[in-house]
Amino acid sequence: MVQDRWCNVVVGDVIKLNNDDFVAADLLLLSSSEPHSLCYIETADLDGETNLKVRQALPDTAAHGDDIARLGQFNGLITCEPPNNKLNKYDGRMEWRSKTYSLDNDKILLRGCRLRNTRWCFGLVIFAGKDTKLMQNSGRAKLKRTHIDRLMNTLIIGIFFFLLAMCLFCTIGSGIWESMIGYNFQTYLPWEQFIGPRDQAPGATAIASLVFFSYIIVLNTVVPISLYVSVEAIRLVQSRWIHWDHAMYHERTDTPAKARTTKLNEELGQIQYIFSDKTGTLTQNIMTFDKCTINGKIYGILYDSQGNEREVTDSTPRVDLSANPYYEKKFDWHDRTLLDAIERGDEDAHLFFELLCICHTVMPEERDGELIYQAQSPDEGALVSAARNFGFVFKSRTPNTITSVIQGREVEYELLNILDFNNVRKRMSVIVRRDGQIRLYCKGADSVIEQRLLLVHGRWSYFRICKFLRYFFYKNFAFTLGHFWFAFFCGFSAQTLYDQYFISFYNLFYTSLPVLAMGVFDQDVSDKHSLRYPRLYVPGHTDSFFNKKIFAISLLKGIIHSLALFFIPYGAYYHSSNHNGQDIASVHVFGFTVATCLIVVVTLQCGLDTAYWTGVNHFVIWGSLVFFFALHFLIYANFFHYYEYVGTDRIAMGSAVYWFTVLLTSVVLLLPVAAYRFYKMDVNPTLTDIVRMKQRLIHSQSKSSDFTSRVRSSMGRSRASLRSGYAFSHQEGFGRLIKSGAMMRSKEPTAKEKKTPAPAKENRANSSEVAENDSNDVKLVKFVTKT
C-alpha cells in the first residue's frame, strides 16, 4: 500500500477508499467493510442528488475483504464498453479463475462520488483521467443566449442587409442624377478634382461608387449598435431588482437572492412548465416536519383569538416533548393540539404515526448510546424522526421484523413484504402482521407545486425588454430614414438632413434615458396580480410581446413616422415667409424643424408606451425635451462663429410656422396611436388591461380601513387552507435489500429469538396473497402524508 496523487492513478491499480473519501477514478468495487460487501455513495457532484445510493461487490471478490496481499494478486480480465458519458449505464464482463462475471452499474463507483457510511472499500481502476465518465461529461462552457438574443441577432443581420439595399439604391440614384443633371451643371457643382476630366458615364460611375460608402456612413444609425449596450445595462439593473427583492430574502441566514448571470432574466418570464420533485435544489435537502393533515384536520398551524393564522417565529413557544426519552432536542413543533390528540388516544392520529414509524426503508444504528437513522432520502428521515418525537419510535429491523416503541411499549411487527417506491406507483407500501391481523400501510407523493415569486421578475424582465426593443427599433428608423427621404432632394449627394451635433447626440443624450428608464422601471401589473393570474405568463410562452411580426410592425411604424416627420415640415416651409415677407426656408431651418418634431414625437411616444410612471420616468422624459432645447440654444449661440448653424434656432423659433409644424406633426402622429389604444382597451381588452383596471380599483378602495381588515382576514384563511407537498427521491429504494437481509449487520440472537422458532415459509404472505385475501382479519390502512 502506497499513498499517491490522483494524477498517478492508472488503469489496473487497486485503491483503497475510507469513509467520506472522494472516488479518484471509475472503479469496480471489489470488497467493503459492510455486510455482503455493500457500500453507500453520494453522487451530488454527478447528478445533484444527496440521497445515498447502494453498490455491491461480487461475492467472489468480496471474499478478499481487506487482505492486501490477496487484493494485490488480483488478475481478472475485464472487457467493457469504451469511455462514454452515460452515468447510469455500464456494460462489461470480467473473466477470472475460469469464470465469467457480468458487470453493471451496481458494481461501479464513478469518479466524483463520495463514500458514505462505509468504513472502507477496495476498487479496481477501470477508467482513469479523461476516460472517466465525469470527465467525459465535462466540456467547454456554452455561451448562454436567450431566445430574444437569438432573435435580435437575426434581426440585426436583416437590418444590415436593409442598409446595404438603401445604400445601393442611393448609389444608383446618384449615378443617374450625375449623368443626366450633374454633368451639365459642373460650372455650379464641379466634380471633385481627383475624378478629373472624364466622359459622362465613367465620371458619374466613379462619383456613385464613392457615394455608396458615404451613405453607409450617413445611414449607419439604422443598425442599432448601441442596442446591445443598452440591453445589457437594463439586464444588469433587472438583476439588481432580484437581489433587492425582500420577498426573496432569507432573513434567518441573511441571504438575499442572487442572479449569477444577466443573460437569462427575461427567460424566467417565458417558462411554460416547471418540473420539480420538491427536493434537492429547492429545499437544499433540508426536510422538517412542518404540518400534517389527519382525517381532514390540519395540525401545525397556529391561530390568534380572531381565527387568523399566526406566524411562527423564533419566539413562539415550542411544545414540550421531553416526556419521551427518545425525543430530539432539535425537533421544533408549536401546535399543542396534535400532542393532545395522541395523548387522549385518537385512533386516526395513532394510525398516522404508526404508518410513519414502519412504512419506510430507514436503517437504525446506535452510536454512543444514541439512536441514529440512516435514511435514503431526507424526506424519509424527516418523517421517521417526526414519528419518533411524538412517541412512535422506530427501533430496529431484521429481514422479517420491525421493532418499534409506541408510547413507551415495545411492539414487534412481522414484515411480510415491502412494495418499493418507483416512478410509476409514486408511493411505497409495507405489508405487516400484528396481533393476527395483516395490514397494508401506504404513503404516497403529492405532485403539486406553487408559483414561485422569482417568475414575477422574469415576466417583468421579458415585458420590459420586449417593450424596449420595439421602441428602440422604431425610434432608430424614424431618425435614420429622414436622410433617405432627403436624398431625393439633394441629388443623392449623401448630404445630411440634420446637423452633426444632433446626429451624435440623438442616441447618446436625447433619446437614451427615457427608453432606459422604461426598460428598468416599467411594469404592467403588480407582483401580487402576476402571481394571482397565471395566464398573464402566456404571452411569454408564445413570444407575443416581441417576434418577427412585431418587429415588422415597429419597422413599418418607424417608416411611416419618418415620412410624416419629413414631409409635413417640407410642406409647411415650401412657400413660408416671416412677418416681414422674407423667405425663412433653408436647409438648416428645415433640418432643425424636422429634428425638433422627431425629438418631441419619439419622446412623447415613449411616454405613451410607459405603463408604470415613477419620478425617474417623469424626470428623464420631460428632462430630455428641456435638454434638447437648452443644448441647441447653446450650440447655435453666437460664440460658435465658425459653425454654419449659428442662429438657426432663433430664426426657426421666431416664426409661427415652426411651432405650428411641431404641434401639427405631433398631433398627426400621436393622436391615432392614443385613439387606437383606447378603442382596443374599451372594445377588446386583453387580460392585462382587465387586471390593470382591477388593480386601480383595489388601490382606490384600499384607503378604507374596513376593506383592509377584510383583506387581511381572507388572506389568513386562504393561507390556512394551503397544502404543502411531500415527495420521495425518484429512484427505487432499499426494500429488496432489506428483505434479502443483505443490509443487516450480523449479531448474536437474543434469548427471546432463541426460544421463538422462525415462522414457517408457508405462513408468510406475499403481496399477491394479501391482495387476494378476502378474510375479515385483513385491515388496509392508507395515508397520503404531507410535510
Side-chain angles (χ1 to χ4, degrees):
M1 287 283 291
V2 294
Q3 190 169 357
D4 210 340
R5 295 179 178 272
W6 282 26
C7 60
N8 297 326
V9 173
V10 297
V11 174
D13 286 351
V14 176
I15 63 177
K16 179 183 179 181
L17 299 174
N18 294 314
N19 192 36
D20 293 334
D21 282 350
F22 283 98
V23 181
D26 289 355
L27 308 177
L28 169 64
L29 181 62
L30 297 178
S31 62
S32 78
S33 60
E34 301 306 296
H36 305 278
S37 277
L38 294 174
C39 79
Y40 304 92
I41 57 173
E42 180 185 280
T43 59
D45 288 351
L46 295 180
D47 55 17
E49 295 282 348
T50 57
N51 51 288
L52 301 184
K53 296 178 175 61
V54 183
R55 297 293 183 263
Q56 187 174 22
L58 292 168
D60 290 351
T61 62
H64 288 350
D66 58 351
D67 190 331
I68 304 299
R70 295 179 64 187
L71 289 168
Q73 295 175 359
F74 182 79
N75 60 349
L77 175 63
I78 295 178
T79 305
C80 65
E81 60 186 10
N84 60 73
N85 61 354
K86 299 178 180 177
L87 297 176
N88 298 320
K89 180 177 178 294
Y90 181 84
D91 288 327
R93 69 177 187 272
M94 181 178 70
E95 299 176 14
W96 183 49
R97 294 180 177 176
S98 302
K99 291 184 179 180
T100 301
Y101 302 87
S102 176
L103 304 180
D104 56 24
N105 209 47
D106 290 338
K107 302 174 181 62
I108 303 299
L109 306 182
L110 297 181
R111 178 178 177 178
C113 298
R114 195 168 189 176
L115 196 66
R116 293 292 195 187
N117 298 337
T118 306
R119 285 177 294 156
W120 53 260
C121 75
F122 286 88
L124 175 69
V125 178
I126 299 176
F127 294 122
K130 294 182 179 180
D131 292 338
T132 59
K133 290 184 182 287
L134 175 65
M135 297 302 293
Q136 290 286 313
N137 277 278
S138 302
R140 296 181 61 182
K142 295 182 180 180
L143 181 62
K144 296 180 178 179
R145 295 184 183 276
T146 66
H147 175 74
I148 288 182
D149 278 337
R150 293 190 294 270
L151 176 60
M152 198 163 59
N153 292 340
T154 303
L155 297 178
I156 295 298
I157 294 173
I159 292 174
F160 180 74
F161 283 109
F162 179 72
L163 169 64
L164 294 180
M166 286 195 299
C167 293
L168 183 62
F169 179 87
C170 292
T171 299
I172 297 173
S174 176
I176 295 173
W177 192 92
E178 291 293 346
S179 63
M180 297 180 63
I181 301 175
Y183 179 78
N184 300 317
F185 283 85
Q186 293 191 54
T187 303
Y188 303 99
L189 296 172
W191 284 357
E192 284 77 1
Q193 294 182 357
F194 59 83
I195 296 178
R198 296 188 182 185
D199 293 336
Q200 186 175 8
T205 303
I207 292 176
S209 301
L210 296 175
V211 163
F212 176 82
F213 296 101
S214 298
Y215 270 109
I216 287 286
I217 297 173
V218 172
L219 301 175
N220 77 88
T221 50
V222 77
V223 181
I225 302 301
S226 62
L227 175 67
Y228 289 95
V229 178
S230 302
V231 167
E232 289 304 316
I234 290 174
R235 286 173 173 166
L236 178 62
V237 178
Q238 289 171 350
S239 300
R240 301 308 297 173
W241 290 145
I242 294 175
H243 181 74
W244 293 329
D245 193 345
H246 289 285
M248 292 191 290
Y249 171 72
H250 192 252
E251 185 176 0
R252 183 173 298 178
T253 59
D254 190 25
T255 306
K258 186 174 182 180
R260 298 185 181 275
T261 177
T262 61
K263 295 289 186 182
L264 304 176
N265 292 343
E266 64 269 17
E267 293 286 273
L268 294 172
Q270 296 180 277
I271 293 175
Q272 188 168 5
Y273 300 103
I274 298 177
F275 296 97
S276 175
D277 59 1
K278 294 170 283 185
T279 59
T281 305
L282 294 182
T283 63
Q284 306 172 36
N285 284 308
I286 301 174
M287 293 287 186
T288 59
F289 188 79
D290 189 32
K291 300 179 182 69
C292 65
T293 303
I294 303 176
N295 197 21
K297 181 174 176 57
I298 301 176
Y299 297 96
I301 299 179
L302 303 181
Y303 300 93
D304 57 21
S305 57
Q306 298 179 351
N308 295 323
E309 181 183 347
R310 184 157 52 94
E311 184 179 0
V312 176
T313 64
D314 292 338
S315 60
T316 304
R318 298 164 55 183
V319 175
D320 184 12
L321 301 172
S322 58
N324 175 12
Y326 294 96
Y327 94 105
E328 298 169 298
K329 295 181 179 179
K330 62 181 181 180
F331 183 78
D332 285 341
W333 186 258
H334 305 276
D335 185 4
R336 175 73 196 183
T337 59
L338 180 56
L339 186 61
D340 292 341
I342 295 172
E343 290 178 347
R344 68 172 178 263
D346 184 283
E347 182 179 2
D348 292 326
H350 275 251
L351 283 175
F352 176 81
F353 282 108
E354 189 177 1
L355 180 149
L356 298 186
C357 179
I358 65 175
C359 186
H360 55 77
T361 57
V362 173
M363 298 298 296
E365 184 179 352
E366 284 201 14
R367 296 180 187 173
D368 301 326
E370 183 180 358
L371 183 61
I372 303 296
Y373 293 143
Q374 296 292 341
Q376 182 188 11
S377 59
D379 36 16
E380 273 210 324
L383 293 178
V384 178
S385 177
R388 166 184 178 169
N389 284 277
F390 282 103
F392 295 77
V393 184
F394 168 58
K395 192 72 179 297
S396 64
R397 70 161 73 242
T398 69
N400 300 316
T401 62
I402 295 177
T403 302
S404 302
V405 177
I406 297 180
Q407 298 297 297
R409 182 170 57 91
E410 186 170 297
V411 178
E412 184 175 271
Y413 301 84
E414 181 186 352
L415 181 60
L416 303 179
N417 204 353
I418 296 178
L419 306 178
D420 229 336
F421 177 90
N422 59 49
N423 289 329
V424 178
R425 297 180 66 244
K426 290 185 172 63
R427 61 182 63 87
M428 78 158 293
S429 309
V430 294
I431 302 172
V432 298
R433 191 199 308 270
R434 179 191 171 192
D435 299 332
Q437 286 187 328
I438 296 176
R439 295 184 177 183
L440 167 67
Y441 291 92
C442 177
K443 63 182 180 183
D446 188 358
S447 57
V448 178
I449 177 172
E450 284 180 24
Q451 276 275 13
R452 295 190 309 280
L453 189 52
L454 188 60
L455 297 183
V456 172
H457 284 282
R459 182 182 174 276
W460 281 343
S461 296
Y462 175 71
F463 169 77
R464 291 164 180 163
I465 210 74
C466 290
K467 184 178 283 191
F468 167 83
L469 291 174
R470 295 196 301 265
Y471 176 80
F472 201 96
F473 286 121
Y474 151 75
K475 77 179 183 69
N476 268 30
F477 273 87
F479 163 63
T480 305
L481 290 181
H483 296 299
F484 182 74
W485 309 131
F486 187 58
F488 290 88
F489 298 89
C490 67
F492 299 97
S493 60
Q495 182 179 353
T496 59
L497 173 62
Y498 314 112
D499 73 273
Q500 60 187 11
Y501 288 108
F502 179 81
I503 295 172
S504 301
F505 293 161
Y506 178 76
N507 278 324
L508 185 62
F509 294 132
Y510 299 148
T511 61
S512 60
L513 292 181
V515 68
L516 284 175
M518 182 174 66
V520 168
F521 297 102
D522 205 27
Q523 55 179 259
D524 51 352
V525 298
S526 66
D527 54 346
K528 294 181 180 179
H529 286 85
S530 293
L531 290 175
R532 187 173 181 180
Y533 300 97
R535 289 187 61 83
L536 290 172
Y537 291 83
V538 172
H541 304 160
T542 57
D543 294 328
S544 300
F545 285 166
F546 189 75
N547 49 47
K548 292 180 181 178
K549 179 181 177 181
I550 297 295
F551 167 75
I553 293 174
S554 299
L555 186 149
L556 182 62
K557 181 179 176 181
I559 294 174
I560 294 173
H561 278 213
S562 70
L563 281 167
L565 287 167
F566 182 88
F567 285 102
I568 290 178
Y570 178 81
Y573 278 97
Y574 191 74
H575 290 298
S576 63
S577 61
N578 61 13
H579 62 280
N580 294 324
Q582 296 174 331
D583 188 9
I584 59 174
S586 69
V587 172
H588 295 165
V589 172
F590 175 67
F592 176 67
T593 304
V594 174
T596 305
C597 294
L598 175 65
I599 291 298
V600 172
V601 168
V602 299
T603 304
L604 294 181
Q605 179 68 58
C606 185
L608 287 176
D609 290 344
T610 300
Y612 183 75
W613 283 81
T614 66
V616 176
N617 295 92
H618 281 287
F619 177 78
V620 296
I621 286 178
W622 310 121
S624 294
L625 293 175
V626 173
F627 183 74
F628 165 76
F629 287 104
L631 188 59
H632 273 274
F633 180 80
L634 176 64
I635 294 174
Y636 294 167
N638 289 333
F639 56 83
F640 284 95
H641 297 293
Y642 299 103
Y643 187 45
E644 57 183 333
Y645 277 79
V646 168
T648 299
D649 57 333
R650 293 196 303 274
I651 296 174
M653 293 180 182
S655 170
V657 176
Y658 171 84
W659 299 107
F660 172 76
T661 302
V662 173
L663 178 62
L664 177 63
T665 306
S666 302
V667 171
V668 167
L669 293 180
L670 297 178
L671 186 60
V673 175
Y676 172 74
R677 292 185 180 178
F678 278 110
Y679 171 79
K680 187 177 179 182
M681 187 182 301
D682 184 60
V683 175
N684 188 24
T686 63
L687 178 62
T688 301
D689 297 330
I690 296 173
V691 173
R692 288 187 65 191
M693 294 180 66
K694 188 173 183 179
Q695 184 175 297
R696 292 195 189 104
L697 180 63
I698 293 176
H699 179 71
S700 63
Q701 292 178 343
S702 64
K703 297 178 181 179
S704 169
S705 59
D706 179 61
F707 176 80
T708 303
S709 63
R710 289 200 305 270
V711 169
R712 288 178 178 173
S713 178
S714 64
M715 288 177 63
R717 291 192 297 271
S718 63
R719 283 198 302 267
S721 64
L722 291 177
R723 300 173 63 193
S724 55
Y726 163 73
F728 297 97
S729 359
H730 287 183
Q731 68 166 10
E732 195 167 346
F734 294 157
R736 176 178 55 84
L737 294 173
I738 291 174
K739 286 298 295 176
S740 67
M743 297 183 68
M744 308 301 169
R745 295 181 182 274
S746 58
K747 63 177 184 178
E748 291 296 324
T750 62
K752 181 178 179 180
E753 290 171 339
K754 289 180 180 179
K755 294 179 180 179
T756 305
K761 287 187 177 180
E762 55 269 18
N763 291 333
R764 293 204 300 265
N766 56 32
S767 57
S768 61
E769 291 172 343
V770 173
E772 296 172 358
N773 194 338
D774 293 328
S775 61
N776 294 328
D777 64 342
V778 177
K779 184 175 182 181
L780 300 182
V781 181
K782 178 179 178 181
F783 285 97
V784 177
T785 59
K786 305 282 183 180
T787 60

